[in-house]
Amino acid sequence: MVDIASPLRLPCGVVLPNRLAKAAMTEALADDLGRATPELASLYAQWSDGGSGLLVTGNVQVDRRYVERPGNVCIDGAQDDAARARLAAWARAAKGTGAAAVIAQISHAGRQSNGMVNMAPVGPGDVAMTEMPSGFFGAPHAMTAAEVEEVVARFAHAAKVCAECGFDGVQLHAAHGYLLSSFLNPRANNRASLFGEGDPYHAGELTRRARPLMDAVRAVRAACGPAFCISVKLNSADFQEGGLTADEAREVALALQREGVDLLELTGGNYESGIYFDETSANPASLAEKRQSAGKRESTRLREAYFLEYAVGIRAALDAAAPPTLPLLVTGGWRTARAMRAALASGDCDVIGLGRPLCGDPRGAAKLLDGTLSALPRLEESLHAGPTSWRWLRRAPLKLLRLLPLLGQQSWYYCSILALARTGAPAEGVGPL
């Protein structure tokens, strides 16, 4: 029976020593030139020693003009010897002395480019981010077909550099509303009205919306070869009216299986659908309602994982198509070893993604594996902005007020990541505000 300690050989041949993965979390630890730093190497050495069989880095941007936040590592253009040495040191630290695999998450922020860096982002269309407080994001410029082709080449270039610097693979970020994800989202992709029905990437057909992602997968494979791991992070749904649906996500997953992708990570939502308001809250009621309205069963909620229900549907479709079945990584909400083992044993997913709990206990995976822990800490239940009397902010009618608890919690996680990088220990005792 498959257990959290069971190894997994991916289709490319990369072997994960166990079924626990440190999921991607933004680190914001690059230097002013967008290069990896000794702090990043130190941070990933902590996580490597923590027992995860797979480590996925935070955002590595393929275009330094369009970043998720200041401090993202960027692989943009030719990388000199110093930049490559820093990337190689990062990969070595992440692999550590064990057999863990490490893949770099490569991304383009698109219309969600951080406004502190660029208020003139690009996107599939010219649809602005209307569901976020003003000033966070600029109005996007609709990319031409030539610009889309250039981005595909940038993904391939970044992946090749990662391969040359010792990473076992890359993960193409096609979720959470970033560029590849926004092409899939009809709400953001209004290319037909801008460029006509002949545009190769417009929202009228799912195959056209998915073309930038598929082209990027093919380009990475051509640049890096069959033994290099290609993972994709995909929304199981956008959780907003008119966005990518669960049925469409299933079709995209089938297309990725046909393209020979080695590992598919399932997540969901984007900035506009409120996922970052809700998942960071101790009581994510509104997101739970969105999932329930999309057909989520109560049994899944009891099994903890936010997106496992969608993984079950996608797994069934993949199994019914043609072997070999694309392995699935599900991230979000996991806390108990019991739930993880049940999901693996049932075949619902193949790898368990762990994120925020590893900010508070970087050895959490090892403790689950050796039985020291039966459950990871639920940090989100103890983190809140200001005194207890401020908790009404989570239900405030103004989105800007609801941002305060979010920013408070996020700041604690970033403080803990920074503390791990600099001292080797999490930020114990540091309050969010």
Side-chain angles (χ1 to χ4, degrees):
M1 183 177 69
V2 176
D3 188 67
I4 58 175
S6 301
L8 174 66
R9 179 179 292 274
L10 300 177
C12 61
V14 170
V15 176
L16 311 185
N18 61 62
R19 300 303 180 100
L20 301 181
K22 176 262 160 196
M25 293 181 285
T26 191
E27 309 99 356
L29 288 172
D31 68 11
D32 291 343
L33 298 178
R35 300 179 301 183
T37 59
E39 288 179 328
L40 269 172
S42 174
L43 173 65
Y44 276 79
Q46 299 296 317
W47 278 326
S48 178
D49 290 342
S52 296
L54 172 67
L55 282 78
V56 186
T57 75
N59 287 289
V60 174
Q61 301 296 343
V62 303
D63 190 328
R64 67 178 64 254
R65 296 171 297 177
Y66 309 109
V67 298
E68 173 260 348
R69 70 182 59 236
N72 286 160
V73 172
C74 300
I75 301 178
D76 181 351
Q79 302 294 293
D80 61 20
D81 290 344
R84 287 173 176 269
R86 287 165 174 256
L87 287 169
W90 187 15
R92 284 195 305 272
K95 291 183 178 182
T97 58
V102 56
I103 61 177
Q105 185 186 80
I106 55 177
S107 182
H108 185 300
R111 70 186 191 127
Q112 290 180 176
S113 298
N114 194 291
M116 291 186 289
V117 177
N118 190 345
M119 284 296 287
V122 295
D126 59 1
V127 181
M129 299 279 292
T130 57
E131 300 298 322
M132 296 295 290
S134 62
F136 278 44
F137 307 100
H141 150 73
M143 302 175 73
T144 65
E147 288 174 319
V148 178
E149 292 170 1
E150 180 195 4
V151 166
V152 169
R154 285 177 177 272
F155 273 98
H157 169 70
K160 185 171 178 58
V161 170
C162 288
E164 293 168 347
C165 292
F167 288 88
D168 296 300
V170 293
Q171 182 181 79
L172 281 66
H173 200 336
H176 295 169
Y178 298 120
L179 185 65
L180 296 177
S181 173
S182 64
F183 268 93
L184 291 167
N185 182 354
R187 287 174 61 109
N189 185 341
N190 66 334
R191 296 183 67 83
S193 64
L194 300 174
F195 300 109
E197 294 294 330
D199 181 82
Y201 310 110
H202 77 69
E205 300 174 9
L206 180 59
T207 53
R208 296 196 191 196
R209 282 185 272 147
R211 182 172 171 179
L213 170 59
M214 300 304 163
D215 286 351
V217 168
R218 295 178 192 124
V220 170
R221 182 64 78 200
C224 300
F228 189 70
C229 177
I230 298 179
S231 172
V232 170
K233 187 167 189 170
L234 180 70
N235 273 358
S236 54
D238 282 340
F239 300 116
Q240 59 181 162
E241 186 177 354
L244 181 76
T245 68
D247 288 342
E248 289 175 329
R250 191 158 51 246
E251 292 302 313
V252 175
L254 286 166
L256 292 170
Q257 178 168 263
R258 291 191 293 270
E259 290 296 333
V261 165
D262 299 295
L263 182 65
L264 177 63
E265 179 178 359
L266 295 175
T267 180
N270 54 43
Y271 288 10
E272 288 183 308
S273 67
I275 188 169
Y276 290 105
F277 286 100
D278 298 312
E279 282 193 9
T280 316
S281 167
N283 182 26
S286 60
L287 187 59
E289 290 170 1
K290 292 170 189 170
R291 292 177 184 136
Q292 189 173 26
S293 68
K296 187 180 190 313
R297 294 198 304 263
E298 178 67 22
S299 60
T300 301
R301 197 171 296 114
L302 296 176
R303 292 203 306 262
E304 301 178 0
Y306 299 145
F307 307 109
L308 188 61
E309 180 71 11
Y310 302 98
V312 171
I314 288 174
R315 166 49 56 78
L318 294 174
D319 287 347
T325 296
L326 171 58
L328 297 182
L329 161 63
V330 176
T331 300
W334 299 107
R335 294 297 183 270
T336 68
R338 179 180 179 182
M340 299 174 200
R341 290 191 170 100
L344 293 170
S346 67
D348 291 347
C349 64
D350 302 283
V351 185
I352 304 293
L354 307 176
R356 295 186 180 111
L358 301 186
C359 293
D361 186 353
R363 291 191 54 79
K367 293 175 182 179
L368 289 172
L369 289 164
D370 67 16
T372 305
L373 282 181
S374 61
L376 294 169
R378 299 180 184 275
L379 300 173
E380 64 277 8
E381 294 181 357
S382 60
L383 293 173
H384 56 88
T388 304
S389 59
W390 288 14
R391 292 191 178 183
W392 64 271
L393 289 171
R394 295 191 188 119
R395 301 178 298 278
L398 296 178
K399 186 168 286 189
L400 185 58
L401 288 178
R402 297 203 308 275
L403 265 177
L404 292 177
L406 163 69
L407 295 175
Q409 288 192 0
Q410 291 282 49
S411 71
W412 185 89
Y413 290 114
Y414 294 140
C415 285
S416 197
I417 285 174
L418 183 60
L420 281 171
R422 292 181 174 175
T423 71
E428 296 182 6
V430 177
L433 282 181

